[in-house]
Amino acid sequence: MFGLSKEEIMLMLEKVGIEEKQKNAIADIVHLNNARIEQQLAFIIHLVIDERERSISNNTYLN
């Protein structure tokens, strides 16, 4: 995973003077957002690789 783990987020939130339930909710939200960003990044990388392979294939065919 590219982003922070929930445990890392919780450790960072320990410095903040809020209730444990609030810290847990914030950590869940940030962790889920990180997972969504990672999923979208993986999809974009997949598209770029597919396009690159298609381009290489077309160039090989034309030459």
Side-chain angles (χ1 to χ4, degrees):
M1 176 178 262
F2 295 106
L4 298 171
S5 69
K6 184 174 177 181
E7 292 77 24
E8 291 169 322
I9 297 165
M10 288 294 286
L11 285 173
M12 294 174 83
L13 288 172
E14 287 300 319
K15 300 173 187 171
V16 181
I18 56 176
E19 293 183 27
E20 197 65 27
K21 282 173 61 174
Q22 291 171 319
K23 290 178 191 175
N24 206 20
I26 292 168
D28 283 342
I29 291 166
V30 172
H31 186 257
L32 287 172
N33 191 54
N34 286 347
R36 182 173 292 162
I37 291 169
E38 184 176 342
Q39 183 181 31
Q40 290 172 344
L41 181 58
F43 179 70
I44 291 168
I45 290 170
H46 178 74
L47 290 176
V48 168
I49 290 171
D50 281 355
E51 183 60 32
R52 183 170 185 264
E53 288 175 353
R54 193 172 10 261
S55 176
I56 290 169
S57 176
N58 286 342
N59 287 340
T60 302
Y61 176 75
L62 293 175
N63 291 332

